[in-house]
Amino acid sequence: MKLLAEIIDFKITFLYSFMLLFFNFVDMEKSLKLLTALIFVGYNLHRWYIMHQADKREKAKHKPRNRRS
């Protein structure tokens, strides 16, 4: 539970810092490009993680079990 709280705290800290950086950019076009690039990368990483977990479950489902005779 402590690890989960630390991860959430880290995410909130990162997002707060990122938003401060985002609003301090003079050129909004560059900041919007950066924001959309981060969203794109995050979305694809999340999709990869979901597919990785599904693949692990499928392999575990079809794995032969050792039976003692």
Side-chain angles (χ1 to χ4, degrees):
M1 192 65 170
K2 183 179 178 185
L3 179 63
L4 179 63
E6 289 176 2
I7 290 171
I8 291 171
D9 185 46
F10 179 70
K11 283 183 177 181
I12 291 171
T13 304
F14 172 76
L15 288 173
Y16 180 72
S17 301
F18 179 74
M19 290 309 292
L20 283 175
L21 179 68
F22 178 74
F23 288 123
N24 283 328
F25 266 117
V26 175
D27 189 9
M28 286 302 267
E29 184 179 347
K30 286 183 183 178
S31 60
L32 288 175
K33 286 180 182 178
L34 178 65
L35 181 63
T36 54
L38 287 174
I39 290 171
F40 177 76
V41 168
Y43 174 75
N44 284 319
L45 285 175
H46 183 66
R47 279 184 51 216
W48 174 84
Y49 178 74
I50 290 171
M51 290 172 23
H52 176 70
Q53 292 297 323
D55 188 49
K56 279 175 56 177
R57 281 193 300 269
E58 284 296 318
K59 285 182 181 178
K61 192 185 298 183
H62 297 294
K63 185 177 179 182
R65 296 182 182 173
N66 281 337
R67 293 187 179 180
R68 295 182 186 177
S69 300

PDB file of all heavy atoms in Angstrom, residues 13-45:
ATOM      1  N   THR A  13       3.248  14.792  -8.495  1.00  0.00           N
ATOM      2  CA  THR A  13       4.379  15.716  -8.526  1.00  0.00           C
ATOM      3  C   THR A  13       4.853  15.948  -9.960  1.00  0.00           C
ATOM      4  O   THR A  13       5.115  17.080 -10.361  1.00  0.00           O
ATOM      5  CB  THR A  13       5.541  15.177  -7.674  1.00  0.00           C
ATOM      6  OG1 THR A  13       5.071  14.946  -6.358  1.00  0.00           O
ATOM      7  CG2 THR A  13       6.705  16.150  -7.648  1.00  0.00           C
ATOM      8  N   PHE A  14       4.946  14.876 -10.730  1.00  0.00           N
ATOM      9  CA  PHE A  14       5.376  15.001 -12.127  1.00  0.00           C
ATOM     10  C   PHE A  14       4.383  15.844 -12.922  1.00  0.00           C
ATOM     11  O   PHE A  14       4.775  16.727 -13.682  1.00  0.00           O
ATOM     12  CB  PHE A  14       5.524  13.621 -12.764  1.00  0.00           C
ATOM     13  CG  PHE A  14       5.782  13.684 -14.243  1.00  0.00           C
ATOM     14  CD1 PHE A  14       7.029  14.041 -14.720  1.00  0.00           C
ATOM     15  CD2 PHE A  14       4.779  13.405 -15.152  1.00  0.00           C
ATOM     16  CE1 PHE A  14       7.271  14.113 -16.081  1.00  0.00           C
ATOM     17  CE2 PHE A  14       5.002  13.479 -16.505  1.00  0.00           C
ATOM     18  CZ  PHE A  14       6.253  13.835 -16.969  1.00  0.00           C
ATOM     19  N   LEU A  15       3.104  15.563 -12.762  1.00  0.00           N
ATOM     20  CA  LEU A  15       2.094  16.315 -13.511  1.00  0.00           C
ATOM     21  C   LEU A  15       2.092  17.796 -13.136  1.00  0.00           C
ATOM     22  O   LEU A  15       1.962  18.666 -13.991  1.00  0.00           O
ATOM     23  CB  LEU A  15       0.706  15.712 -13.298  1.00  0.00           C
ATOM     24  CG  LEU A  15       0.470  14.374 -13.986  1.00  0.00           C
ATOM     25  CD1 LEU A  15      -0.871  13.804 -13.556  1.00  0.00           C
ATOM     26  CD2 LEU A  15       0.534  14.512 -15.485  1.00  0.00           C
ATOM     27  N   TYR A  16       2.233  18.086 -11.848  1.00  0.00           N
ATOM     28  CA  TYR A  16       2.281  19.481 -11.397  1.00  0.00           C
ATOM     29  C   TYR A  16       3.498  20.191 -11.995  1.00  0.00           C
ATOM     30  O   TYR A  16       3.383  21.303 -12.515  1.00  0.00           O
ATOM     31  CB  TYR A  16       2.322  19.523  -9.871  1.00  0.00           C
ATOM     32  CG  TYR A  16       2.361  20.910  -9.316  1.00  0.00           C
ATOM     33  CD1 TYR A  16       1.236  21.718  -9.358  1.00  0.00           C
ATOM     34  CD2 TYR A  16       3.524  21.423  -8.742  1.00  0.00           C
ATOM     35  CE1 TYR A  16       1.271  23.010  -8.851  1.00  0.00           C
ATOM     36  CE2 TYR A  16       3.568  22.700  -8.235  1.00  0.00           C
ATOM     37  CZ  TYR A  16       2.439  23.493  -8.286  1.00  0.00           C
ATOM     38  OH  TYR A  16       2.479  24.762  -7.791  1.00  0.00           O
ATOM     39  N   SER A  17       4.647  19.537 -11.950  1.00  0.00           N
ATOM     40  CA  SER A  17       5.861  20.132 -12.515  1.00  0.00           C
ATOM     41  C   SER A  17       5.733  20.315 -14.014  1.00  0.00           C
ATOM     42  O   SER A  17       6.149  21.337 -14.569  1.00  0.00           O
ATOM     43  CB  SER A  17       7.070  19.243 -12.225  1.00  0.00           C
ATOM     44  OG  SER A  17       7.230  19.078 -10.842  1.00  0.00           O
ATOM     45  N   PHE A  18       5.155  19.338 -14.677  1.00  0.00           N
ATOM     46  CA  PHE A  18       4.977  19.440 -16.115  1.00  0.00           C
ATOM     47  C   PHE A  18       4.041  20.587 -16.483  1.00  0.00           C
ATOM     48  O   PHE A  18       4.295  21.320 -17.435  1.00  0.00           O
ATOM     49  CB  PHE A  18       4.449  18.118 -16.687  1.00  0.00           C
ATOM     50  CG  PHE A  18       4.219  18.175 -18.168  1.00  0.00           C
ATOM     51  CD1 PHE A  18       5.292  18.166 -19.044  1.00  0.00           C
ATOM     52  CD2 PHE A  18       2.939  18.262 -18.677  1.00  0.00           C
ATOM     53  CE1 PHE A  18       5.091  18.232 -20.405  1.00  0.00           C
ATOM     54  CE2 PHE A  18       2.727  18.332 -20.037  1.00  0.00           C
ATOM     55  CZ  PHE A  18       3.803  18.312 -20.900  1.00  0.00           C
ATOM     56  N   MET A  19       2.967  20.740 -15.746  1.00  0.00           N
ATOM     57  CA  MET A  19       2.030  21.827 -16.051  1.00  0.00           C
ATOM     58  C   MET A  19       2.664  23.194 -15.809  1.00  0.00           C
ATOM     59  O   MET A  19       2.419  24.132 -16.574  1.00  0.00           O
ATOM     60  CB  MET A  19       0.741  21.676 -15.242  1.00  0.00           C
ATOM     61  CG  MET A  19      -0.112  20.500 -15.680  1.00  0.00           C
ATOM     62  SD  MET A  19      -0.456  20.432 -17.445  1.00  0.00           S
ATOM     63  CE  MET A  19      -1.508  21.847 -17.639  1.00  0.00           C
ATOM     64  N   LEU A  20       3.478  23.323 -14.770  1.00  0.00           N
ATOM     65  CA  LEU A  20       4.191  24.583 -14.562  1.00  0.00           C
ATOM     66  C   LEU A  20       5.119  24.878 -15.735  1.00  0.00           C
ATOM     67  O   LEU A  20       5.175  26.012 -16.226  1.00  0.00           O
ATOM     68  CB  LEU A  20       4.985  24.535 -13.261  1.00  0.00           C
ATOM     69  CG  LEU A  20       4.185  24.703 -11.979  1.00  0.00           C
ATOM     70  CD1 LEU A  20       5.104  24.519 -10.771  1.00  0.00           C
ATOM     71  CD2 LEU A  20       3.523  26.065 -11.933  1.00  0.00           C
ATOM     72  N   LEU A  21       5.833  23.862 -16.184  1.00  0.00           N
ATOM     73  CA  LEU A  21       6.728  24.029 -17.330  1.00  0.00           C
ATOM     74  C   LEU A  21       5.932  24.363 -18.583  1.00  0.00           C
ATOM     75  O   LEU A  21       6.311  25.245 -19.367  1.00  0.00           O
ATOM     76  CB  LEU A  21       7.535  22.750 -17.545  1.00  0.00           C
ATOM     77  CG  LEU A  21       8.511  22.737 -18.708  1.00  0.00           C
ATOM     78  CD1 LEU A  21       9.666  23.700 -18.430  1.00  0.00           C
ATOM     79  CD2 LEU A  21       9.031  21.338 -18.914  1.00  0.00           C
ATOM     80  N   PHE A  22       4.811  23.690 -18.765  1.00  0.00           N
ATOM     81  CA  PHE A  22       3.955  23.888 -19.939  1.00  0.00           C
ATOM     82  C   PHE A  22       3.458  25.329 -20.022  1.00  0.00           C
ATOM     83  O   PHE A  22       3.501  25.958 -21.069  1.00  0.00           O
ATOM     84  CB  PHE A  22       2.783  22.917 -19.866  1.00  0.00           C
ATOM     85  CG  PHE A  22       1.794  23.054 -20.982  1.00  0.00           C
ATOM     86  CD1 PHE A  22       2.102  22.597 -22.252  1.00  0.00           C
ATOM     87  CD2 PHE A  22       0.551  23.617 -20.761  1.00  0.00           C
ATOM     88  CE1 PHE A  22       1.195  22.700 -23.281  1.00  0.00           C
ATOM     89  CE2 PHE A  22      -0.367  23.725 -21.778  1.00  0.00           C
ATOM     90  CZ  PHE A  22      -0.044  23.263 -23.046  1.00  0.00           C
ATOM     91  N   PHE A  23       2.995  25.871 -18.911  1.00  0.00           N
ATOM     92  CA  PHE A  23       2.449  27.230 -18.939  1.00  0.00           C
ATOM     93  C   PHE A  23       3.523  28.312 -18.949  1.00  0.00           C
ATOM     94  O   PHE A  23       3.227  29.472 -19.228  1.00  0.00           O
ATOM     95  CB  PHE A  23       1.486  27.439 -17.770  1.00  0.00           C
ATOM     96  CG  PHE A  23       0.193  26.711 -17.953  1.00  0.00           C
ATOM     97  CD1 PHE A  23      -0.227  25.796 -17.015  1.00  0.00           C
ATOM     98  CD2 PHE A  23      -0.601  26.932 -19.060  1.00  0.00           C
ATOM     99  CE1 PHE A  23      -1.422  25.113 -17.175  1.00  0.00           C
ATOM    100  CE2 PHE A  23      -1.795  26.266 -19.236  1.00  0.00           C
ATOM    101  CZ  PHE A  23      -2.204  25.339 -18.296  1.00  0.00           C
ATOM    102  N   ASN A  24       4.757  27.942 -18.655  1.00  0.00           N
ATOM    103  CA  ASN A  24       5.833  28.927 -18.691  1.00  0.00           C
ATOM    104  C   ASN A  24       6.507  29.023 -20.052  1.00  0.00           C
ATOM    105  O   ASN A  24       7.355  29.876 -20.257  1.00  0.00           O
ATOM    106  CB  ASN A  24       6.881  28.609 -17.623  1.00  0.00           C
ATOM    107  CG  ASN A  24       6.399  29.013 -16.262  1.00  0.00           C
ATOM    108  OD1 ASN A  24       5.649  29.975 -16.123  1.00  0.00           O
ATOM    109  ND2 ASN A  24       6.803  28.279 -15.246  1.00  0.00           N
ATOM    110  N   PHE A  25       6.147  28.155 -20.976  1.00  0.00           N
ATOM    111  CA  PHE A  25       6.697  28.252 -22.324  1.00  0.00           C
ATOM    112  C   PHE A  25       6.212  29.540 -22.976  1.00  0.00           C
ATOM    113  O   PHE A  25       5.051  29.917 -22.868  1.00  0.00           O
ATOM    114  CB  PHE A  25       6.237  27.082 -23.203  1.00  0.00           C
ATOM    115  CG  PHE A  25       7.200  25.937 -23.234  1.00  0.00           C
ATOM    116  CD1 PHE A  25       6.829  24.703 -22.754  1.00  0.00           C
ATOM    117  CD2 PHE A  25       8.471  26.100 -23.767  1.00  0.00           C
ATOM    118  CE1 PHE A  25       7.698  23.641 -22.799  1.00  0.00           C
ATOM    119  CE2 PHE A  25       9.348  25.041 -23.819  1.00  0.00           C
ATOM    120  CZ  PHE A  25       8.966  23.811 -23.325  1.00  0.00           C
ATOM    121  N   VAL A  26       7.125  30.208 -23.676  1.00  0.00           N
ATOM    122  CA  VAL A  26       6.746  31.416 -24.409  1.00  0.00           C
ATOM    123  C   VAL A  26       6.017  31.025 -25.692  1.00  0.00           C
ATOM    124  O   VAL A  26       5.008  31.619 -26.055  1.00  0.00           O
ATOM    125  CB  VAL A  26       7.996  32.269 -24.731  1.00  0.00           C
ATOM    126  CG1 VAL A  26       7.629  33.454 -25.594  1.00  0.00           C
ATOM    127  CG2 VAL A  26       8.664  32.719 -23.448  1.00  0.00           C
ATOM    128  N   ASP A  27       6.510  29.998 -26.338  1.00  0.00           N
ATOM    129  CA  ASP A  27       5.927  29.547 -27.602  1.00  0.00           C
ATOM    130  C   ASP A  27       4.941  28.407 -27.323  1.00  0.00           C
ATOM    131  O   ASP A  27       5.334  27.290 -27.018  1.00  0.00           O
ATOM    132  CB  ASP A  27       7.038  29.078 -28.529  1.00  0.00           C
ATOM    133  CG  ASP A  27       6.549  28.796 -29.931  1.00  0.00           C
ATOM    134  OD1 ASP A  27       5.390  29.119 -30.221  1.00  0.00           O
ATOM    135  OD2 ASP A  27       7.349  28.261 -30.711  1.00  0.00           O
ATOM    136  N   MET A  28       3.651  28.702 -27.416  1.00  0.00           N
ATOM    137  CA  MET A  28       2.624  27.706 -27.102  1.00  0.00           C
ATOM    138  C   MET A  28       2.592  26.584 -28.137  1.00  0.00           C
ATOM    139  O   MET A  28       2.210  25.469 -27.819  1.00  0.00           O
ATOM    140  CB  MET A  28       1.243  28.358 -27.008  1.00  0.00           C
ATOM    141  CG  MET A  28       1.055  29.161 -25.744  1.00  0.00           C
ATOM    142  SD  MET A  28       1.281  28.159 -24.282  1.00  0.00           S
ATOM    143  CE  MET A  28      -0.390  27.669 -23.993  1.00  0.00           C
ATOM    144  N   GLU A  29       3.008  26.855 -29.360  1.00  0.00           N
ATOM    145  CA  GLU A  29       2.983  25.810 -30.390  1.00  0.00           C
ATOM    146  C   GLU A  29       3.930  24.674 -30.014  1.00  0.00           C
ATOM    147  O   GLU A  29       3.577  23.494 -30.125  1.00  0.00           O
ATOM    148  CB  GLU A  29       3.371  26.399 -31.741  1.00  0.00           C
ATOM    149  CG  GLU A  29       3.276  25.392 -32.872  1.00  0.00           C
ATOM    150  CD  GLU A  29       3.632  25.993 -34.225  1.00  0.00           C
ATOM    151  OE1 GLU A  29       3.718  27.228 -34.316  1.00  0.00           O
ATOM    152  OE2 GLU A  29       3.830  25.216 -35.165  1.00  0.00           O
ATOM    153  N   LYS A  30       5.120  25.012 -29.537  1.00  0.00           N
ATOM    154  CA  LYS A  30       6.075  23.981 -29.122  1.00  0.00           C
ATOM    155  C   LYS A  30       5.557  23.204 -27.920  1.00  0.00           C
ATOM    156  O   LYS A  30       5.722  21.990 -27.833  1.00  0.00           O
ATOM    157  CB  LYS A  30       7.427  24.614 -28.781  1.00  0.00           C
ATOM    158  CG  LYS A  30       8.215  25.052 -29.973  1.00  0.00           C
ATOM    159  CD  LYS A  30       9.555  25.603 -29.547  1.00  0.00           C
ATOM    160  CE  LYS A  30      10.339  26.116 -30.730  1.00  0.00           C
ATOM    161  NZ  LYS A  30      11.623  26.701 -30.336  1.00  0.00           N
ATOM    162  N   SER A  31       4.938  23.905 -26.993  1.00  0.00           N
ATOM    163  CA  SER A  31       4.442  23.226 -25.801  1.00  0.00           C
ATOM    164  C   SER A  31       3.294  22.283 -26.146  1.00  0.00           C
ATOM    165  O   SER A  31       3.187  21.193 -25.581  1.00  0.00           O
ATOM    166  CB  SER A  31       4.011  24.233 -24.736  1.00  0.00           C
ATOM    167  OG  SER A  31       2.989  25.059 -25.221  1.00  0.00           O
ATOM    168  N   LEU A  32       2.447  22.658 -27.106  1.00  0.00           N
ATOM    169  CA  LEU A  32       1.365  21.771 -27.526  1.00  0.00           C
ATOM    170  C   LEU A  32       1.906  20.547 -28.259  1.00  0.00           C
ATOM    171  O   LEU A  32       1.394  19.438 -28.084  1.00  0.00           O
ATOM    172  CB  LEU A  32       0.361  22.519 -28.398  1.00  0.00           C
ATOM    173  CG  LEU A  32      -0.510  23.530 -27.651  1.00  0.00           C
ATOM    174  CD1 LEU A  32      -1.379  24.302 -28.635  1.00  0.00           C
ATOM    175  CD2 LEU A  32      -1.373  22.837 -26.620  1.00  0.00           C
ATOM    176  N   LYS A  33       2.942  20.738 -29.049  1.00  0.00           N
ATOM    177  CA  LYS A  33       3.569  19.597 -29.723  1.00  0.00           C
ATOM    178  C   LYS A  33       4.183  18.647 -28.695  1.00  0.00           C
ATOM    179  O   LYS A  33       4.059  17.428 -28.820  1.00  0.00           O
ATOM    180  CB  LYS A  33       4.648  20.070 -30.696  1.00  0.00           C
ATOM    181  CG  LYS A  33       4.093  20.683 -31.954  1.00  0.00           C
ATOM    182  CD  LYS A  33       5.210  21.133 -32.870  1.00  0.00           C
ATOM    183  CE  LYS A  33       4.649  21.801 -34.112  1.00  0.00           C
ATOM    184  NZ  LYS A  33       5.717  22.288 -34.998  1.00  0.00           N
ATOM    185  N   LEU A  34       4.817  19.195 -27.679  1.00  0.00           N
ATOM    186  CA  LEU A  34       5.403  18.378 -26.620  1.00  0.00           C
ATOM    187  C   LEU A  34       4.318  17.621 -25.859  1.00  0.00           C
ATOM    188  O   LEU A  34       4.452  16.426 -25.584  1.00  0.00           O
ATOM    189  CB  LEU A  34       6.217  19.250 -25.662  1.00  0.00           C
ATOM    190  CG  LEU A  34       6.842  18.546 -24.474  1.00  0.00           C
ATOM    191  CD1 LEU A  34       7.897  17.558 -24.944  1.00  0.00           C
ATOM    192  CD2 LEU A  34       7.448  19.565 -23.527  1.00  0.00           C
ATOM    193  N   LEU A  35       3.235  18.304 -25.544  1.00  0.00           N
ATOM    194  CA  LEU A  35       2.134  17.672 -24.824  1.00  0.00           C
ATOM    195  C   LEU A  35       1.520  16.539 -25.630  1.00  0.00           C
ATOM    196  O   LEU A  35       1.290  15.444 -25.118  1.00  0.00           O
ATOM    197  CB  LEU A  35       1.070  18.717 -24.480  1.00  0.00           C
ATOM    198  CG  LEU A  35      -0.139  18.217 -23.708  1.00  0.00           C
ATOM    199  CD1 LEU A  35       0.278  17.696 -22.344  1.00  0.00           C
ATOM    200  CD2 LEU A  35      -1.160  19.329 -23.566  1.00  0.00           C
ATOM    201  N   THR A  36       1.262  16.755 -26.910  1.00  0.00           N
ATOM    202  CA  THR A  36       0.675  15.701 -27.726  1.00  0.00           C
ATOM    203  C   THR A  36       1.646  14.533 -27.916  1.00  0.00           C
ATOM    204  O   THR A  36       1.228  13.377 -27.962  1.00  0.00           O
ATOM    205  CB  THR A  36       0.228  16.230 -29.101  1.00  0.00           C
ATOM    206  OG1 THR A  36       1.318  16.893 -29.731  1.00  0.00           O
ATOM    207  CG2 THR A  36      -0.939  17.186 -28.963  1.00  0.00           C
ATOM    208  N   ALA A  37       2.938  14.819 -28.002  1.00  0.00           N
ATOM    209  CA  ALA A  37       3.925  13.739 -28.106  1.00  0.00           C
ATOM    210  C   ALA A  37       3.937  12.889 -26.839  1.00  0.00           C
ATOM    211  O   ALA A  37       3.991  11.653 -26.907  1.00  0.00           O
ATOM    212  CB  ALA A  37       5.312  14.324 -28.368  1.00  0.00           C
ATOM    213  N   LEU A  38       3.866  13.529 -25.680  1.00  0.00           N
ATOM    214  CA  LEU A  38       3.830  12.774 -24.422  1.00  0.00           C
ATOM    215  C   LEU A  38       2.561  11.945 -24.298  1.00  0.00           C
ATOM    216  O   LEU A  38       2.598  10.796 -23.836  1.00  0.00           O
ATOM    217  CB  LEU A  38       3.959  13.726 -23.225  1.00  0.00           C
ATOM    218  CG  LEU A  38       5.341  14.315 -23.002  1.00  0.00           C
ATOM    219  CD1 LEU A  38       5.305  15.341 -21.878  1.00  0.00           C
ATOM    220  CD2 LEU A  38       6.334  13.215 -22.673  1.00  0.00           C
ATOM    221  N   ILE A  39       1.438  12.489 -24.727  1.00  0.00           N
ATOM    222  CA  ILE A  39       0.177  11.738 -24.689  1.00  0.00           C
ATOM    223  C   ILE A  39       0.271  10.535 -25.625  1.00  0.00           C
ATOM    224  O   ILE A  39      -0.140   9.428 -25.272  1.00  0.00           O
ATOM    225  CB  ILE A  39      -1.005  12.649 -25.055  1.00  0.00           C
ATOM    226  CG1 ILE A  39      -1.249  13.650 -23.930  1.00  0.00           C
ATOM    227  CG2 ILE A  39      -2.261  11.836 -25.338  1.00  0.00           C
ATOM    228  CD1 ILE A  39      -2.249  14.735 -24.275  1.00  0.00           C
ATOM    229  N   PHE A  40       0.826  10.727 -26.816  1.00  0.00           N
ATOM    230  CA  PHE A  40       0.961   9.646 -27.775  1.00  0.00           C
ATOM    231  C   PHE A  40       1.845   8.529 -27.228  1.00  0.00           C
ATOM    232  O   PHE A  40       1.490   7.345 -27.300  1.00  0.00           O
ATOM    233  CB  PHE A  40       1.545  10.202 -29.081  1.00  0.00           C
ATOM    234  CG  PHE A  40       1.809   9.162 -30.124  1.00  0.00           C
ATOM    235  CD1 PHE A  40       0.762   8.621 -30.840  1.00  0.00           C
ATOM    236  CD2 PHE A  40       3.096   8.741 -30.387  1.00  0.00           C
ATOM    237  CE1 PHE A  40       0.999   7.661 -31.811  1.00  0.00           C
ATOM    238  CE2 PHE A  40       3.342   7.781 -31.344  1.00  0.00           C
ATOM    239  CZ  PHE A  40       2.299   7.236 -32.063  1.00  0.00           C
ATOM    240  N   VAL A  41       2.986   8.887 -26.660  1.00  0.00           N
ATOM    241  CA  VAL A  41       3.898   7.885 -26.109  1.00  0.00           C
ATOM    242  C   VAL A  41       3.253   7.175 -24.920  1.00  0.00           C
ATOM    243  O   VAL A  41       3.321   5.946 -24.808  1.00  0.00           O
ATOM    244  CB  VAL A  41       5.242   8.541 -25.702  1.00  0.00           C
ATOM    245  CG1 VAL A  41       6.093   7.605 -24.881  1.00  0.00           C
ATOM    246  CG2 VAL A  41       5.993   8.988 -26.943  1.00  0.00           C
ATOM    247  N   GLY A  42       2.612   7.916 -24.040  1.00  0.00           N
ATOM    248  CA  GLY A  42       1.959   7.304 -22.888  1.00  0.00           C
ATOM    249  C   GLY A  42       0.848   6.355 -23.290  1.00  0.00           C
ATOM    250  O   GLY A  42       0.704   5.271 -22.722  1.00  0.00           O
ATOM    251  N   TYR A  43       0.066   6.730 -24.293  1.00  0.00           N
ATOM    252  CA  TYR A  43      -1.023   5.879 -24.771  1.00  0.00           C
ATOM    253  C   TYR A  43      -0.470   4.572 -25.336  1.00  0.00           C
ATOM    254  O   TYR A  43      -0.959   3.489 -25.029  1.00  0.00           O
ATOM    255  CB  TYR A  43      -1.827   6.622 -25.837  1.00  0.00           C
ATOM    256  CG  TYR A  43      -2.878   5.779 -26.504  1.00  0.00           C
ATOM    257  CD1 TYR A  43      -4.050   5.456 -25.843  1.00  0.00           C
ATOM    258  CD2 TYR A  43      -2.697   5.306 -27.801  1.00  0.00           C
ATOM    259  CE1 TYR A  43      -5.014   4.680 -26.455  1.00  0.00           C
ATOM    260  CE2 TYR A  43      -3.655   4.529 -28.419  1.00  0.00           C
ATOM    261  CZ  TYR A  43      -4.810   4.215 -27.739  1.00  0.00           C
ATOM    262  OH  TYR A  43      -5.760   3.436 -28.347  1.00  0.00           O
ATOM    263  N   ASN A  44       0.586   4.670 -26.132  1.00  0.00           N
ATOM    264  CA  ASN A  44       1.162   3.459 -26.720  1.00  0.00           C
ATOM    265  C   ASN A  44       1.839   2.582 -25.680  1.00  0.00           C
ATOM    266  O   ASN A  44       1.768   1.353 -25.763  1.00  0.00           O
ATOM    267  CB  ASN A  44       2.130   3.822 -27.838  1.00  0.00           C
ATOM    268  CG  ASN A  44       1.390   4.225 -29.087  1.00  0.00           C
ATOM    269  OD1 ASN A  44       0.399   3.602 -29.437  1.00  0.00           O
ATOM    270  ND2 ASN A  44       1.856   5.262 -29.736  1.00  0.00           N
ATOM    271  N   LEU A  45       2.484   3.175 -24.690  1.00  0.00           N
ATOM    272  CA  LEU A  45       3.076   2.375 -23.616  1.00  0.00           C
ATOM    273  C   LEU A  45       1.999   1.647 -22.817  1.00  0.00           C
ATOM    274  O   LEU A  45       2.170   0.489 -22.436  1.00  0.00           O
ATOM    275  CB  LEU A  45       3.917   3.256 -22.689  1.00  0.00           C
ATOM    276  CG  LEU A  45       5.262   3.696 -23.243  1.00  0.00           C
ATOM    277  CD1 LEU A  45       5.939   4.658 -22.275  1.00  0.00           C
ATOM    278  CD2 LEU A  45       6.156   2.498 -23.496  1.00  0.00           C
TER     279      LEU A  45
END
